Amino acid sequence: MTATTIRQSEALPEAYPDAPESLSTAAAAIADTVWQRIESYVAHRWTPRNVMWIVEGPGEWAPPLTPATFIDVSVWQDDAWAAVALAPSPLGGFVLPGCGPYRIDTTVGDTEDDPPAAVIEAFRRLAEYMVAKPGKPGARSERITAGSISLSHTRSEAWTAQAIQNSGAADLLRPFRKV
């Protein structure tokens, strides 16, 4: 049986990893935004931050973000949170004996390793894609004519919402999607 996560509260990190040096000036200027987009897509964190989960049991529970270092586990009893010691789970979390709810406080994020090369390349692709000139704001298509040469371009209205897929970053981030 598996316990259910009913709430996740993730704090912002003090800083994100450094942007690659090979970025354009415009792409480097949105580095934090790009990291936030990447982190919303994957389950791995490269800089530490506090994450708290509220979980209902009974059953096994493992953190949906990685790497996680457990700080405190509490159970709701008699209108207050009370510290509780739980048995470790083979999945890297805990075995929750009762219904709870349980509050699991952790630090999530890697403090020693830089993001792997695939993640840095995904960052570069996404950042450059996000700062690419879309043409006239809100335009679906644009046509440029210079003498006898004409160039037309049609873009989906959702091109920025699909940036992580259209830039090629999603393929590089696939191994980091699940814990």
Side-chain angles (χ1 to χ4, degrees):
M1 185 179 327
T2 303
T4 304
T5 301
I6 58 173
R7 181 182 299 159
Q8 173 177 305
S9 301
E10 181 176 359
L12 289 174
E14 288 183 23
Y16 288 101
D18 293 333
E21 294 179 11
S22 61
L23 290 178
S24 67
T25 304
I30 63 165
D32 284 359
T33 302
V34 175
W35 276 118
Q36 289 171 10
R37 291 283 298 266
I38 287 173
E39 286 188 347
S40 71
Y41 191 74
V42 299
H44 194 92
R45 301 294 183 260
W46 288 276
T47 51
R49 78 282 317 269
N50 183 264
V51 179
M52 184 191 62
W53 287 283
I54 303 295
V55 181
E56 287 186 338
E60 288 189 46
W61 180 85
L65 297 176
T66 188
T69 304
F70 295 96
I71 298 170
D72 181 52
V73 180
S74 306
V75 64
W76 186 255
Q77 291 179 336
D78 302 322
D79 299 331
W81 291 107
V84 63
L86 298 175
S89 154
L91 300 175
F94 298 104
V95 176
L96 306 176
C99 292
Y102 296 88
R103 181 177 66 188
I104 301 171
D105 204 9
T106 64
T107 297
V108 174
D110 199 342
T111 57
E112 297 181 17
D113 294 328
D114 290 332
V119 174
I120 295 299
E121 177 59 18
F123 179 97
R124 188 193 62 73
R125 289 181 186 188
L126 181 58
E128 295 297 349
Y129 184 89
M130 288 175 69
V131 298
K133 295 188 182 213
K136 192 182 269 184
R140 184 171 193 278
S141 62
E142 93 184 293
R143 175 181 225 106
I144 299 171
T145 303
S148 63
I149 299 173
S150 180
L151 175 66
S152 65
H153 177 78
T154 302
R155 184 186 317 260
S156 166
E157 291 90 349
W159 76 276
T160 52
Q162 297 168 341
I164 206 156
Q165 286 82 16
N166 292 343
S167 68
D171 291 336
L172 295 168
L173 295 171
R174 189 172 292 128
F176 305 97
R177 294 271 305 177
K178 295 187 180 185
V179 177

